């Protein structure tokens, strides 16, 4: 019986060929793979297309940023050169400078009074000077320099800025620099008429071409096709498909330029070129998938033949053995099988001992190979892997799976010693050293270094591996991407030496730079340290909020980094304190010149979220003339000089001298004594009488405070108030004065008030109204007899928290008076902001009464204003009868001064009341 007869005999009902089952199994297994592959193919194509769009958008964004910086630089240059002060050429010399410098070829400088611009009728598109009226009016109103859209024929654009007509002049001019668009914005031209290259263009707010990378001269001034797509876009960037002026379909990315009247940067790529990349990838993936399916089917067929052929041969051999050897009978084993070949093998396996022995031997060899493979993969799993590699003991790479995704380079380039050539030169010695250690017996490797990528950059990686003890020893391991961790470590190191807000070096880094500068000081060379402090920064922080304060610090940083030279170090010490290490000075005057520039530059106005902010700066300078100078001592000396500069009136600079140390020591002594004075009861409250002019009687007393210094004697609070505020004593001292005055006044007759000065710091404290309420309650003084005096300067800027506090105090029933009225230009605004009970006229006006007409006129105007508003007027500093007579003629309600005697102690006031019975009358001194 041959094999064909055998097959025919044993194929029965319910049985199938093994080949049939294998093909069905392959098809069932491949179905999910085919579905997942199709989905992955679609997602990969979409991702590649999105990446192409992002690349095009990044190009437009990068170009927009570069053009914005160039326009800003040219605008700042025009502003600087057109300024009437500051060392620039001014409006008259701007044209001459531009013609000579060649920065804006063919530029034409024009000026036009702002008043004329504002008279331009709304229907006119251009001003009398030829500027687009919308841009000219915007610059005239807001003062921010701007560029215009294209106008005139041939097309031109203009940089427009608002400037003063000259020092001391209140007239404002619009200064414009008109220039051809190709000179205002310049793009690198393309070589030849390559229609497949990327096209870059810049348009104005009306879609007219300002600059173009291809055929610029033909298209400047023309409206680009499909401009409505860009104009209709809500976002300031995006993608769209359109046609070029030549009619070529293009994929465009656009980015609007900040600070311009709608200018747009457009970067375009031919649509075929844009789609070619992802379609090529799609076709390649489709072809690869088809080949994979065909290959899988071929492998299935080959596997089926490989499985069926040995099984059939084994069956034939078993049959032959059973037929040729007596006493060997086939015995049925196990359950019947529905597979024809396996069922035939099961019934004849007992007669195939030799074949089973061979199979057992093959199984043993396969188990050994499997154990070796398992140990290799276990070592890889323990190492952790991104790139799995194998190498010879001398470091020659045999395989590097995953090399291309990590580095962007084909795997064959890494094989052998090719990977060593991609190591960064700074770490190559470390890598070769590790390979040398392997040669001398090391069985593990763990080293980090940088690898070159296909993009031209460097990526940090970590290589770990172990030696496998097998015949033909080899190394296996993993190459791990640690670039993100390394960058994070570098960022942490940066934060340890830099200020996180301004990115300037911090105090630690500044000291390192100072030590390095001292190390390089040679004979005759000089270095200097400048400490500076911002004036009025706290007011900006309190009135506009901390975000505005942070923005101001960043703006100050920007200005500081532009006034120093290369090699100088600018650092932020904390708060509003900065320091500069200046090196390579030719003379001590260099540091003073820098200080003058700093004071001038930082004193210029700032624009913060629509608010114009004015601050100042004070600078302290110390010179380092010796390499032996102590860095900490230099910083302390610069700080002393800064303190002296601030004491001199702020907005200036001082250079350290030895006597400053003595003065500073005296200040420290005063600080220490002042900090302990309140606890030692060294402050004493006395009371100056306030007289009602009409009735000639004392209507109130104003609390005056003296510090009974143990060595220097009585000191007026005004002498140390600034220092008390700096060290935090003024607030608690003010609360103590309030409580003491309430206690003393509670013993006076019921119609006599007590007036107490309060500070800005007290008003800015949300708890202060509660402190006043408690003082009134504990002393038993009616609220109407307490008069709180607030200086006009506290309301000069209309601080909302101060006004809110005043309203809370008014609700308690206390009287509110404004002191030093008329000392600033915001006097009338103060009266509009709050319903004051009394207005105290600035003392300097009172002293001028009877001396010059201006003093008489000011007092007359202020008393008349108070009378009109229904507010009581008062005057302090009345030292002569003539002043009293004039104030009486002007119907001033209340007066106080030396004419009525000096301040009295609380006990003297009580004694005076006791002697007078009902209350003291008017008794002028002398």
């Amino acid at each position: 019986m041959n094999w064909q007869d055998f097959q025919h005999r044993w194929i029965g009902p319910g049985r199938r060929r093994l080949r049939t089952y294998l093909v069905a199994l392959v098809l069932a297994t491949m179905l999910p793979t085919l579905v997942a592959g199709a989905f992955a193919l679609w997602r990969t194509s979409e991702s590649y297309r999105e990446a192409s769009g992002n690349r095009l958008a990044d190009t437009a964004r990068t170009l927009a940023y570069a053009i914005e910086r160039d326009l800003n630089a040219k605008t700042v240059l025009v502003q600087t050169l057109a300024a009437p002060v500051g060392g620039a050429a001014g409006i008259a010399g701007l044209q001459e400078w531009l013609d000579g410098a060649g920065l804006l070829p063919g530029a034409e400088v024009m000026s036009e009074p702002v008043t004329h611009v504002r008279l331009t009728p709304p229907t006119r598109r251009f001003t009398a000077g030829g500027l687009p009226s919308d841009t000219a009016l915007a610059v005239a109103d807001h003062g921010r320099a701007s560029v215009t859209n294209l106008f005139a024929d041939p097309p031109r654009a203009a940089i427009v800025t608002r400037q003063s007509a000259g020092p001391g002049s209140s007239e404002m001019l619009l200064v414009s620099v008109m220039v051809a668009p190709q000179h205002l914005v310049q793009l690198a031209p393309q070589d030849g008429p390559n229609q497949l290259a990327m096209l870059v263009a810049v348009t104005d707010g009306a879609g007219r071409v300002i600059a173009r990378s291809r055929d610029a001269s033909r298209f400047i001034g023309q409206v680009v096709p499909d401009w409505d797509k860009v104009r209709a876009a809500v976002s300031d960037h995006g993608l769209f498909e359109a046609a070029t002026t030549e009619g070529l379909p293009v994929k465009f990315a656009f980015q609007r330029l900040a600070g311009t009247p709608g200018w747009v940067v457009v970067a375009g790529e031919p649509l075929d070129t844009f789609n070619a990349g992802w379609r090529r990838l799609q076709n390649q993936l489709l072809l690869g998938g088809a080949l994979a399916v065909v290959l899988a089917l071929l492998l299935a067929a080959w596997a089926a033949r490989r499985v069926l052929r040995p099984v059939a041969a084994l069956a034939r051999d078993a049959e032959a053995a059973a037929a040729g050897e007596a006493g060997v009978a086939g015995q049925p084993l196990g359950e019947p099988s529905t597979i024809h070949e396996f069922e035939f093998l099961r019934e004849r396996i007992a007669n195939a001992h030799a074949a089973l022995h061979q199979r057992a031997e093959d199984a043993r060899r396969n188990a050994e190979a499997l154990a070796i493979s398992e140990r290799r993969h276990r070592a890889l799993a323990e190492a952790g892997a991104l790139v799995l590699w194998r190498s010879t003991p001398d470091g020659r790479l045999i395989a590097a799976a995953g090399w291309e995704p990590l580095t962007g380079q084909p795997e064959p380039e890494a094989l052998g010693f090719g990977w060593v050539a991609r190591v960064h030169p700074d770490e190559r010695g470390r890598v070769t050293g590790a390979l040398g250690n392997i040669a001398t017996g090391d069985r593990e490797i763990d080293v980090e270094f940088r690898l070159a990528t296909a993009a031209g950059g460097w990526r940090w990686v970590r290589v770990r591996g172990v030696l496998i003890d097998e015949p033909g020893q080899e190394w296996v391991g993993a190459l791990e991407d640690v670039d993100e961790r390394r960058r994070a470590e570098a960022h942490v190191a940066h934060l340890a030496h830099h200020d996180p807000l301004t990115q300037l070096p911090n105090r630690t880094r500044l000291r390192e730079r100072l030590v390095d500068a001292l190390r390089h000081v040679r004979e005759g060379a000089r270095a200097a340290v400048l400490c500076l402090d911002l004036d009025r920064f706290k007011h900006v922080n309190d009135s506009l909020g901390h975000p505005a304060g942070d923005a101001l610090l960043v703006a100050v940083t920007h200005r500081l980094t532009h006034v120093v030279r290369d090699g100088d170090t600018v650092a932020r010490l904390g708060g509003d304190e900065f320091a500069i290490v200046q090196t390579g000075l030719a003379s001590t005057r260099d540091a003073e010149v820098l200080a003058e520039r700093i004071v001038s530059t930082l004193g210029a106005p700032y624009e913060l979220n629509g608010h114009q902010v004015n601050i100042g700066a004070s600078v302290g300078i110390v010179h380092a003339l010796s390499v032996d100078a102590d860095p900490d001592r230099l910083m302390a000396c610069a700080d002393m000089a800064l303190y002296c500069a601030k004491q001199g009136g702020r907005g200036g600079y001082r250079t350290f001298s030895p006597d400053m140390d003595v003065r500073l020591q005296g200040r420290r002594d005063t600080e220490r004594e002042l900090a302990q004075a309140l606890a030692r009861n060294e402050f004493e409250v006395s009371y100056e009488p306030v007289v009602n002019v009409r009735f000639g009687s004392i209507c109130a007393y104003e609390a005056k405070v003296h510090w009974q210094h143990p060595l220097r004697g009585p000191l007026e609070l005004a002498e140390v108030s600034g220092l008390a505020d700096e060290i935090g004593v003024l607030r608690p001292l003010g609360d103590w004065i309030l409580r003491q005055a309430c206690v003393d006044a509670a013993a006076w007759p019921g119609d006599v008030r007590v007036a107490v000065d309060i500070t800005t710091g007290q008003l800015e404290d949300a708890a202060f109204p509660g402190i006043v309420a408690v003082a009134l309650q504990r002393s038993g003084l009616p609220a109407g007899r307490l008069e709180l005096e607030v200086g006009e300067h506290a309301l000069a800027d209309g601080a909302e928290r101060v006004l809110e506090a005043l309203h809370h105090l008014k609700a308690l029933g206390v009287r509110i008076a404004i002191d030093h009225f008329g000392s600033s230009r915001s006097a009338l605004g103060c009266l509009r902001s709050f319903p004051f009970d009394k207005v105290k006229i600035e003392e300097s006006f009172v002293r001028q009464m009877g001396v010059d007409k201006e003093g008489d006129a000011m007092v007359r105007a202020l008393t008349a204003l108070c009378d009109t508003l229904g507010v009581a007027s008062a005057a302090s500093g009345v030292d002569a009868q003539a002043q009293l007579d004039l104030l009486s003629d002007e119907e001033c309600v209340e007066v106080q001064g030396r004419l009525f005697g000096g301040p009295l102690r609380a006990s003297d006031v009580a004694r005076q009341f006791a002697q007078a019975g009902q209350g003291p009358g008017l008794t002028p001194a002398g």
Side-chain angles (χ1 to χ4, degrees), residues 632-689:
D632 296 328
R633 175 63 181 170
L634 288 175
M635 291 297 297
C637 292
D639 193 56
M640 293 180 205
L642 172 61
Y643 172 75
C644 292
K646 294 170 67 175
Q647 290 296 105
R650 303 179 183 270
Y653 66 90
R654 292 289 186 276
T655 302
F656 175 78
S657 60
D659 65 303
M660 290 182 181
D661 201 0
V662 177
R663 282 185 287 168
L664 186 60
Q665 183 59 45
R667 180 181 185 271
R668 292 196 187 100
D669 293 340
T670 304
E671 285 181 1
R672 185 178 62 257
E673 295 165 350
L674 188 58
Q676 300 171 354
L678 186 59
R680 294 177 177 177
N681 295 320
E682 294 177 357
F683 291 103
E684 181 178 342
V685 181
S686 57
Y687 299 92
E688 183 179 63

Side-chain angles (χ1 to χ4, degrees), residues 239-253:
L239 294 169
F240 64 98
E241 293 183 7
T244 64
T245 307
E246 298 93 336
L248 181 67
V250 174
K251 186 76 170 186
F252 282 108

Side-chain angles (χ1 to χ4, degrees), residues 530-555:
L530 292 82
C531 283
L532 60 114
D533 186 280
L534 303 183
D535 302 331
R536 297 182 297 279
F537 173 76
K538 183 178 183 299
H539 170 73
V540 175
N541 226 15
D542 293 341
S543 59
L544 299 182
H546 290 291
D550 291 345
L552 179 57
L553 290 174
V554 173

